[in-house]
Amino acid sequence: MKVAIKKLHAEAKHPLYQTEHAAAMDIAACIEKPVTILPHERAIIPSGLAIALPPGYEAQIRARSGLAAKHGIMPANGVGTIDPDYRGEVGVILLNTSNQPFVVEPGMRVAQMAITKYEKVEWQEVEQLDETARGSGGYGSTGKK
């Protein structure tokens, strides 16, 4: 699949797969100087890139597991979505969940981007839903005997 990408800054790096079978590409920070994210604060880190996805696809911005596990750094919105009609700069809203300041360096890999297909739904209002074994059990209800 080919996707159009535009460098908004000369220093911007294309998202890259780090291994042959990686499902997501690493996104690098396109910043001129280090950005410090204080404990329990957030910052929008620019990528210096804009993309044009085809209809029916989205780019999901996800945490890098190493940053999350070692430093408590993750996207503030869980998983961010880049819609196919968005043409602005891709940014990553990073949240520092730790009690220590974290410094984002220029060129640092700060998140992952996965391109996924999605379906549009058409809601069909009904009087009753079909029955399932689970029913309306939620929030910790599975696995109970």
Side-chain angles (χ1 to χ4, degrees), residues 84-140:
D85 57 352
Y86 177 68
R87 295 296 182 268
E89 183 171 16
V90 173
V92 179
I93 309 166
L94 286 183
L95 171 65
N96 181 352
T97 65
S98 78
N99 292 319
Q100 302 296 321
F102 182 80
V103 179
V104 178
E105 300 287 346
M108 177 185 276
R109 295 177 295 150
V110 294
Q112 295 185 74
M113 175 191 290
I115 307 300
T116 59
K117 192 170 180 64
Y118 67 85
E119 298 288 331
K120 296 289 264 187
V121 300
E122 183 178 323
W123 295 107
Q124 179 182 0
E125 192 165 332
V126 297
E127 294 295 321
Q128 189 168 336
L129 299 175
D130 61 321
E131 295 292 326
T132 66
R134 181 177 181 178
S136 61
Y139 301 115

Side-chain angles (χ1 to χ4, degrees), residues 40-54:
H40 311 290
E41 301 259 329
R42 61 196 169 279
I44 298 175
I45 305 299
S47 70
L49 301 168
I51 60 175
L53 293 168

Side-chain angles (χ1 to χ4, degrees), residues 4-75:
I5 189 166
K6 179 180 179 182
K7 280 183 144 185
L8 303 175
H9 302 284
E11 312 82 36
K13 298 178 182 177
H14 283 208
L16 293 174
Y17 294 104
Q18 297 299 314
T19 65
E20 180 183 0
H21 298 290
M25 301 161 272
D26 284 351
I27 299 175
C30 185
I31 51 180
E32 292 181 13
K33 59 185 180 181
V35 172
T36 299
I37 307 173
L38 297 175
H40 311 290
E41 301 259 329
R42 61 196 169 279
I44 298 175
I45 305 299
S47 70
L49 301 168
I51 60 175
L53 293 168
Y57 289 87
E58 66 164 328
Q60 293 183 357
I61 306 302
R62 304 174 180 174
R64 289 195 63 233
S65 57
L67 287 180
K70 295 175 186 173
H71 305 286
I73 302 299
M74 58 191 65

